[in-house]
Amino acid sequence: MKTLIPDMNPYMQNFLNNGSICLDMFFSLSGFLIATPLFAEIDKKGTINWKFFYIKRFLRIFPPYYFFIILQYFIFIPSLIKNSPPELAEQFRAASHRIWYDILYVSDYAKGTIFHGWSLSLEEQFYIIYPIFLLTVFRKIPERFRLGSLVAITLLPLIYRTIFAYTVLFKTTGVETVTLYNNNFYYPFHGHIDSILYGIVFAYIFSFRKHWLEWFFNSGRLGTVIHALTLITIFIYTIFADEFKAGIHQIIRFPSFALLWILVFIFAMRKDDPIGKFLSWRIFFPFAKLSYCAYLIHVVAMVPISRKLLFMDKKLEQHEFILYAVPVGLFVFFCAYFYYLLTERPFTIIKDKMISRYKAKVTSQVFREELNKATS
């Protein structure tokens, strides 16, 4: 960014570097949305239909992801090799074998060919591990210890980051600090998973301790003020915290943002919350539906419209960079719409039909059980 905008204000630099807080929001929300129905299922049945869960997840995630990997290997990487200077082309050619890290969803530990593949790998690892944890560990824990156990697990990444920071990270400077931070905190599952774990803890409280949240749901104008202050706190944090400068903020960054975003979610659930109403406008629905495909292709989709930005002769002013963000974002979602129709929508239809059949089967089974009880 400094190459494009050499005179960038340091606070603007911090704000752009901290744009990844949106990932912490997504991770927390993902943990909540995945955990809530599974908690309900295991509480009601004592088990979960793990086959149904995995099939549903895979139909949602795999088709767009693996189609993108095919495009990456057979079109995007060869195009980069063909249109790059010889020394750079050789680097792209040598790196192409890393596609296997993307295929196996381990690019949060071994860098793959997809720039943002680490987050997709981390999320997929969560989808695989979490149901297994529920079936093999969680359901065997006495109910009175379950919440405490979840909180204890949530603290493990924080403990790891604290130990690593004070024994290794804080003794470094410059590029070495950035590299260690990325490879040990930001990318890997064990360093970043607490963003998702906080969403799981929130899901448990929402499912089984909902009365703890009553004050938030009935907080009236005070709640609106706190809601607004929470968002302002997030904004201020992004301006003043230099993500890549060694400091305690690198240890507490993920749980801090996760807790702040969860607070935003709680207040947004209130019936008359103005921010919640705003976020519920129908204009946002298409963006939400396209969000996965948009995130998947956004780096590639940005290239054509960003070419002027990336290869222009003159240096950019800050306001020019911000103005470019709007058309670039809209173009990404425009491309994501067609990518969604091609790779996600057909499998969504299959998934929805499968869910309908499963619900009909469960309803029929419950009806037969109730009928047997009544006639016995």
Side-chain angles (χ1 to χ4, degrees):
M1 202 65 70
K2 280 288 187 181
T3 303
L4 291 173
I5 314 175
D7 299 323
M8 177 176 284
N9 183 292
Y11 299 117
M12 174 64 75
Q13 180 73 43
N14 289 340
F15 177 75
L16 293 175
N17 286 340
N18 282 306
S20 58
I21 64 168
C22 296
L23 275 176
D24 294 306
M25 176 186 67
F26 171 77
F27 285 154
S28 300
L29 184 61
S30 178
F32 173 75
L33 293 176
I34 294 298
T36 300
L38 292 181
F39 278 142
E41 187 176 2
I42 204 166
D43 181 61
K44 184 177 180 180
K45 302 177 181 179
T47 187
I48 58 174
N49 188 331
W50 59 271
K51 291 181 182 179
F52 180 73
F53 172 82
Y54 285 132
I55 291 173
K56 187 171 65 171
R57 284 285 93 199
F58 294 165
L59 284 174
R60 165 80 165 83
I61 294 169
F62 281 7
Y65 180 75
Y66 283 110
F67 187 78
F68 183 79
I69 285 180
I70 292 171
L71 294 178
Q72 179 88 334
Y73 189 77
F74 290 102
I75 296 179
F76 302 145
I77 293 178
S79 177
L80 285 172
I81 293 173
K82 181 180 179 181
N83 297 296
S84 298
E87 63 279 4
L88 196 57
E90 187 57 36
Q91 293 180 26
F92 287 130
R93 188 177 292 106
S96 62
H97 74 278
R98 295 178 184 169
I99 198 86
W100 283 106
Y101 302 141
D102 298 314
I103 292 172
L104 298 174
Y105 277 110
V106 293
S107 56
D108 52 338
Y109 287 98
K111 187 176 181 181
T113 62
I114 301 176
F115 176 77
H116 50 301
W118 68 270
S119 59
L120 300 168
S121 295
L122 189 152
E123 188 78 13
E124 189 60 32
Q125 290 160 16
F126 160 63
Y127 294 148
I128 293 172
I129 293 172
Y130 184 61
I132 297 173
F133 165 76
L134 288 179
L135 287 172
T136 59
V137 178
F138 180 80
R139 68 175 180 173
K140 296 179 181 180
I141 300 174
E143 187 175 345
R144 65 182 182 276
F145 296 129
R146 285 181 174 179
L147 180 58
S149 300
L150 290 175
V151 172
I153 294 171
T154 301
L155 293 176
L156 293 178
L158 180 64
I159 295 171
Y160 156 74
R161 288 195 301 271
T162 302
I163 294 172
F164 186 88
Y166 282 100
T167 57
V168 180
L169 185 66
F170 291 171
K171 298 179 180 179
T172 64
T173 57
V175 176
E176 187 180 4
T177 300
V178 176
T179 302
L180 286 171
Y181 170 75
N182 284 333
N183 293 340
N184 295 278
F185 287 6
Y186 191 77
Y187 295 144
F189 180 90
H190 67 277
H192 206 148
I193 188 60
D194 44 348
S195 296
I196 292 178
L197 295 177
Y198 277 93
I200 294 174
V201 171
F202 173 44
Y204 186 89
I205 294 172
F206 184 82
S207 300
F208 305 112
R209 303 288 190 273
K210 200 169 185 177
H211 57 281
W212 291 2
L213 305 174
E214 287 301 319
W215 182 88
F216 296 96
F217 294 148
N218 301 309
S219 54
R221 291 183 178 178
L222 177 60
T224 302
V225 173
I226 297 174
H227 196 179
L229 288 174
T230 303
L231 291 170
I232 292 171
T233 301
I234 293 173
F235 179 72
I236 292 175
Y237 191 115
T238 62
I239 292 176
F240 289 100
D242 183 349
E243 180 182 8
F244 300 114
K245 183 178 181 180
I248 193 172
H249 63 280
Q250 293 180 315
I251 299 173
I252 64 172
R253 181 181 189 274
F254 305 139
S256 297
F257 278 127
L259 289 172
L260 288 170
W261 283 123
I262 287 171
L263 199 57
V264 170
F265 300 156
I266 293 173
F267 282 117
M269 291 177 178
R270 298 183 308 155
K271 183 178 180 181
D272 297 318
D273 182 74
I275 298 175
K277 284 185 175 180
F278 171 73
L279 295 175
S280 299
W281 285 2
R282 294 187 65 85
I283 192 174
F284 294 121
F285 289 5
F287 292 97
K289 181 172 286 190
L290 297 174
S291 60
Y292 174 55
C293 285
Y295 182 68
L296 194 57
I297 70 168
H298 78 277
V299 174
V300 171
M302 286 165 58
V303 171
I305 199 170
S306 300
R307 189 169 295 276
K308 181 180 178 182
L309 183 152
L310 294 172
F311 301 107
M312 62 198 317
D313 294 330
K314 77 180 188 70
K315 300 300 182 182
L316 289 172
E317 299 294 334
Q318 290 181 156
H319 71 276
E320 291 178 314
F321 180 84
I322 295 172
L323 289 175
Y324 270 110
V326 176
V328 168
L330 291 175
F331 183 74
V332 167
F333 276 96
F334 175 78
C335 295
Y337 173 71
F338 295 101
Y339 192 76
Y340 166 82
L341 292 179
L342 176 66
T343 66
E344 185 175 344
R345 178 59 181 163
F347 295 93
T348 300
I349 295 172
I350 295 173
K351 183 189 72 173
D352 291 342
K353 289 181 178 179
M354 186 187 70
I355 292 174
S356 298
R357 291 174 184 173
Y358 175 75
K359 288 182 177 179
K361 180 181 178 180
V362 171
T363 302
S364 176
Q365 185 177 359
V366 171
F367 176 77
R368 287 197 301 270
E369 289 175 357
E370 293 298 323
L371 183 62
N372 290 335
K373 290 179 182 179
T375 55
S376 59

